[in-house]
Amino acid sequence: MHQTATPSLPHAPLLRTVMAHDADELASKLTNWQQRYDQVSAGRFTGALTERQLPQLQVFRESLSQAVRQSCRVWPDAIWFGLPDHDATTRINGRQAGDHTLMVRPGDVEFELVTPSAYSIYGIVASRQLLEDAAERQGCQIDWQRVQAAEVLQVDGAARAACLGILSAALPRAAVGTGTEAWQDTVLASLLELLDHRCGEPVASPSLQRRRRVVEHVRAYIDAHLADQAALTVPQLCEQVHVSRRTLQYCFEDVLGMSPLLYMRMMRLNGARRELLDQGAGAVRAAIGDVADAWGMSNFSQFSSDYRKLFGECPSAAMRARRTQ
């Protein structure tokens, strides 16, 4: 996961837009977050981020061309609110968030998103104190402890649409000199209006909680054995949690949207790509093979084929591109 310091937001640029052609590179662009992105759908990746930073408020829009598994952590003493700007389903910690929901996570707490291809999302991150002060000024009665404990809030559809409309207009308008205080008040008012419409968190069913525990246990085992040359098998994974093959498959597909075997392959390929990019350009075939071996992929031809299918380029291509940057 990328490491970032405690935010020094007053010194950050007010508005910036960046592009990236690697999922994990895009993860590193979001200011004052700790993140790691793993691409899980096949094809060349293109991502864009537009964000505005104020001393206690961050607003951004992120677009991703491919499906991505995201491991995220927001800066401390803040709350993140996520609003996809279309109807595509997002998974947050295994729970599905749809078109009448608002995703929420407190600062300094790791959470996971699984996002589909051709995806874009607006994010608002605000300090708890800023939110409380704004709510008091506007006379909003909001249970902040309940909000911070939630993952998904069911919200009023009209209020959600209005909030998205304000965000889509407010973010680019920062480029033409909108007053900072007025801009901040507009964003906070739209968010508080959304939270003040009797929003509530749907209760996670006991079956979902059990599936999440199964997946978490098996993923920990997989992650600890990604470097093993001997391929992990589904029966081995089933033994770890004492469930049937069918149950394990269902748990992974429900929580992550992919099978356990696909999860293993994606984590290995993304780990190898991350290491190759960190090495920089100039690595020869032998060095690439060493990286593949280190991630449990000893068949170089199969590794190269799988890598090309997932990322849309051969293992050495991104490294050559990195050298020219």
Side-chain angles (χ1 to χ4, degrees):
M1 184 181 291
H2 298 288
Q3 298 298 317
T4 55
T6 300
S8 54
L9 300 183
H11 305 292
L14 284 182
L15 182 77
R16 68 187 187 106
T17 298
V18 294
M19 301 289 295
H21 296 285
D22 175 76
D24 210 37
E25 179 187 1
L26 184 67
S28 70
K29 302 297 186 182
L30 192 52
T31 306
N32 296 313
W33 284 55
Q34 299 177 37
Q35 296 196 109
R36 189 184 77 186
Y37 287 3
D38 294 304
Q39 182 177 330
V40 296
S41 67
R44 288 183 179 272
F45 178 88
T46 301
L49 170 70
T50 299
E51 71 169 355
R52 192 182 192 194
Q53 293 275 184
L54 297 176
Q56 299 181 73
L57 177 68
Q58 176 187 40
V59 180
F60 62 89
R61 183 178 189 267
E62 188 178 50
S63 301
L64 308 94
S65 64
Q66 299 296 338
V68 171
R69 173 190 172 270
Q70 307 180 18
S71 177
C72 312
R73 187 186 296 262
V74 183
W75 36 278
D77 302 319
I79 307 176
W80 165 79
F81 302 90
L83 294 93
D85 64 357
H86 47 72
D87 294 342
T89 297
T90 311
R91 286 180 169 86
I92 175 169
N93 293 341
R95 302 185 67 174
Q96 293 192 16
D99 58 351
H100 281 77
T101 59
L102 173 69
M103 293 181 288
V104 186
R105 284 281 76 198
D108 209 24
V109 174
E110 188 172 355
F111 63 96
E112 177 183 67
L113 298 178
V114 180
T115 59
S117 300
Y119 181 79
S120 58
I121 183 173
Y122 284 95
I124 302 173
V125 188
S127 73
R128 170 78 178 266
Q129 190 62 55
L130 180 68
L131 289 167
E132 290 180 349
D133 291 346
E136 184 176 358
R137 288 195 303 272
Q138 295 186 33
C140 298
Q141 301 296 319
I142 297 173
D143 185 344
W144 292 111
Q145 287 189 336
R146 181 177 62 84
V147 168
Q148 286 194 123
E151 294 173 331
V152 177
L153 291 173
Q154 198 78 28
V155 295
D156 178 77
R160 186 183 188 280
C163 183
L164 278 172
I166 288 173
L167 291 176
S168 66
L171 189 58
R173 196 165 63 229
V176 294
T178 302
T180 297
E181 185 174 345
W183 186 90
Q184 176 173 286
D185 288 346
T186 297
V187 171
L188 291 176
S190 68
L191 175 62
L192 291 172
E193 179 71 11
L194 182 61
L195 293 173
D196 206 27
H197 268 74
R198 297 183 179 179
C199 62
E201 182 181 19
V203 177
S205 68
S207 60
L208 174 60
Q209 295 178 33
R210 178 176 179 274
R211 290 194 292 271
R212 289 203 292 191
R213 288 194 297 269
V214 168
V215 170
E216 189 61 33
H217 189 155
V218 173
R219 285 204 305 184
Y221 184 79
I222 290 173
D223 293 346
H225 292 83
L226 284 177
D228 292 358
Q229 293 299 323
L232 291 175
T233 66
V234 171
Q236 284 178 305
L237 301 178
C238 292
E239 290 177 5
Q240 295 300 311
V241 285
H242 310 291
V243 298
S244 67
R245 177 191 292 263
R246 182 178 179 181
T247 297
L248 183 64
Q249 181 85 6
Y250 181 76
C251 288
F252 264 76
E253 290 182 349
D254 193 42
V255 173
L256 293 177
M258 67 185 82
S259 70
L261 291 180
L262 180 58
Y263 172 80
M264 278 191 285
R265 186 160 71 250
M266 294 301 98
M267 294 307 101
R268 281 176 164 157
L269 288 169
N270 277 276
R273 178 175 175 84
R274 195 171 287 113
E275 188 169 336
L276 289 172
L277 290 175
D278 286 345
Q279 284 188 7
V284 297
R285 177 188 172 98
I288 295 174
D290 289 342
V291 170
D293 282 341
W295 284 92
M297 296 172 287
S298 57
N299 185 319
F300 186 83
S301 295
Q302 186 64 54
F303 163 70
S304 296
S305 176
D306 289 344
Y307 188 101
R308 189 180 298 108
K309 288 177 182 177
L310 179 59
F311 300 115
E313 61 186 9
C314 64
S316 60
M319 295 158 53
R320 289 195 299 270
R322 181 64 58 90
R323 180 170 56 183
T324 62
Q325 293 179 356

